[in-house]
Amino acid sequence: MTDLYIHSLAFHTPEKVLSNDDLSKIVDTNDEWIRTRTGISQRHVAGAGENTSDLATKAALKALKNAGMDASELTHVIVATGTQDNLSPSVACMVASNVGAGHVMSFDFSAACSGFIYGLSICRSFLCADPKAKILLVCAEVLTRRVDWQDRTTCVLFGDGAGALVITAEAENALAKLEDIQCLSDGDGRELIVVGGGTACAYQKGDPVDSCYFIRMMGRETYKFAVRNMSAICHELLDRNGYDISDVDLLVAHQANIRIIQAVGERLKISEDRVFTNLAQYGNTSSASIPIALSEAFDQDRIQPGSLVLTTAFGSGLTWGGALLRF
Ligand code: ACO
């Protein structure tokens, strides 16, 4: 198996911020309910005309700069997103063009909020096929354009942002090495979280936008699924690599809800000071949440050279996964 090394981590979020108080002017909610039930205080919201490819490009340019890599060296541009600018062309094609990557293999894939973990696994496969590959992996979302602002049960949860990484099989100058990874899915749970807008959401020109276009979620069931499966996959990764939870320096879970993250932390018996959260500032940015969190944790020196970082995510599909990273 070819090794996978992360050479840089970067993120970008839109300038515009929507606080819980701002939201309570749009929909029947309040800061206290949102903070205590979700841990979210504010979210970043893309401005008019600002799209997923714009956020992705900004994060990608930072990641390339941090890696000291010219875009012309890239062989692949891969984007995890559930909120593409358009169904086609892919965001990845636009990002490859925007950063000046030239003629490279570019594609988007859909694994919802598990996009970062799935993306690492996809990159590992490409590196096995071609150990000389230099891959730009971007996880980018403009979820706020897919929420129904009249549905208080979902619109308070989501925010916009992008995270980007440069990945190769070369250890030199790398930030982190992927030690192990697992990705799983269960389509029987397809109704729990749905982001519409595809062929199941038919409309004729001139029709009002149908409610199927927006994010729908069964919150309680999603909560239980998330806690159960993220904990289980973390246990499995630790067990099969001979680690104990005390070996983990930082848990960076998908930033969906503080109560989910705390419940996973309790099941894993990891102390709170070794659990990173930043969803208070960003809300749930789906696939982008783990790379944004990893970038911030790294910038804040919560991750040091030698740190073992356990990451885990869940999302629509249903999908879930986990990865062990050694910095
Ligand atoms: N403001 C005020 N009141 C609200 C709001 C709101 N924004 N939303 C719901 N309520 C009310 C409900 O109407 C209900 O009122 P009632 O008791 O009078 O009927 C009450 O609060 C409780 O509603 P529940 O939906 O039961 O609230 P719950 O405690 O389950 O919290 C939440 C909802 C936060 C969504 C929770 O179920 C949850 O965290 N689920 C996990 C799902 C998640 O985080 N998904 C992330 C997106 S998917 C992904 O990332 C892959």
Side-chain angles (χ1 to χ4, degrees):
M1 180 74 72
T2 309
D3 289 330
L4 179 155
Y5 290 93
I6 297 173
H7 286 260
S8 65
L9 277 164
F11 74 100
H12 176 79
T13 50
E15 259 178 52
K16 189 176 159 195
V17 167
L18 197 65
S19 69
N20 290 346
D21 286 336
D22 295 332
L23 253 181
S24 65
K25 290 173 194 141
I26 303 171
V27 70
D28 180 17
T29 189
N30 58 76
D31 176 58
E32 208 262 332
W33 193 98
I34 302 171
R35 271 191 300 102
T36 53
R37 301 279 181 134
T38 72
I40 297 165
S41 301
Q42 62 172 45
R43 66 286 296 143
H44 291 247
V45 177
E50 194 173 24
N51 284 303
T52 301
S53 62
D54 300 312
L55 304 186
T57 299
K58 286 186 174 146
L61 288 169
K62 285 185 205 169
L64 285 165
K65 190 169 171 222
N66 292 351
M69 187 182 284
D70 193 273
S72 61
E73 296 177 56
L74 292 170
T75 55
H76 302 72
V77 176
I78 303 176
V79 175
T81 183
T83 50
Q84 304 91 319
D85 300 25
N86 298 289
L87 291 180
S88 185
S90 69
V91 174
C93 282
M94 290 190 269
V95 171
S97 161
N98 293 348
V99 302
H103 297 171
V104 296
M105 181 174 185
S106 302
F107 66 95
D108 296 349
F109 70 93
S110 160
C113 305
S114 308
F116 171 72
I117 309 281
Y118 269 64
L120 285 182
S121 187
I122 292 167
C123 288
R124 188 172 66 164
S125 301
F126 277 116
L127 291 174
C128 287
D130 176 9
K132 288 199 168 60
K134 294 188 191 317
I135 308 174
L136 178 65
L137 173 65
V138 190
C139 304
E141 309 282 358
V142 177
L143 287 151
T144 59
R145 228 163 266 156
R146 282 303 180 87
V147 298
D148 176 355
W149 292 102
Q150 286 163 357
D151 176 8
R152 67 179 182 171
T153 64
T154 52
C155 76
V156 301
L157 301 174
F158 298 100
D160 303 331
L165 306 88
V166 171
I167 289 171
T168 78
E170 290 159 23
E172 206 182 331
N173 296 326
L175 283 184
K177 178 184 177 184
L178 177 67
E179 288 203 351
D180 198 8
I181 189 160
Q182 187 166 11
C183 300
L184 295 170
S185 72
D186 179 4
D188 289 352
R190 71 192 77 172
E191 298 296 335
L192 256 56
I193 312 159
V194 181
V195 185
T199 57
C201 190
Y203 66 91
Q204 297 292 322
K205 203 172 173 186
D207 283 356
V209 175
D210 192 273
S211 60
C212 78
Y213 182 83
F214 301 107
I215 296 174
R216 308 187 296 281
M217 188 183 65
M218 293 155 84
R220 294 247 163 130
E221 292 77 1
T222 303
Y223 185 104
K224 287 184 219 153
F225 154 78
V227 174
R228 188 173 61 244
N229 288 295
M230 287 200 292
S231 315
I233 212 157
C234 287
H235 277 304
E236 180 164 353
L237 283 169
L238 293 175
D239 288 350
R240 74 186 191 192
N241 287 280
Y243 287 128
D244 182 81
I245 192 66
S246 60
D247 295 314
V248 174
D249 295 292
L250 201 65
L251 172 69
V252 182
H254 170 42
Q255 304 288 300
N257 183 312
I258 193 74
R259 295 188 309 166
I260 293 176
I261 297 169
Q262 284 166 346
V264 171
E266 278 164 25
R267 284 194 179 203
L268 293 175
K269 298 192 171 57
I270 187 168
S271 55
E272 271 180 39
D273 61 314
R274 289 185 291 138
V275 179
F276 186 82
T277 66
N278 64 357
L279 86 168
Q281 285 80 43
Y282 301 109
N284 177 351
T285 57
S286 189
S287 67
S289 89
I290 294 180
I292 292 174
L294 282 175
S295 297
E296 283 214 318
F298 190 76
D299 292 345
Q300 293 169 13
D301 293 329
R302 296 283 303 276
I303 298 174
Q304 307 285 344
S307 293
L308 182 66
V309 176
L310 176 60
T311 70
T312 181
F314 71 98
S316 171
L318 297 163
T319 57
W320 67 101
L324 278 167
L325 296 168
R326 178 69 72 180
F327 279 76

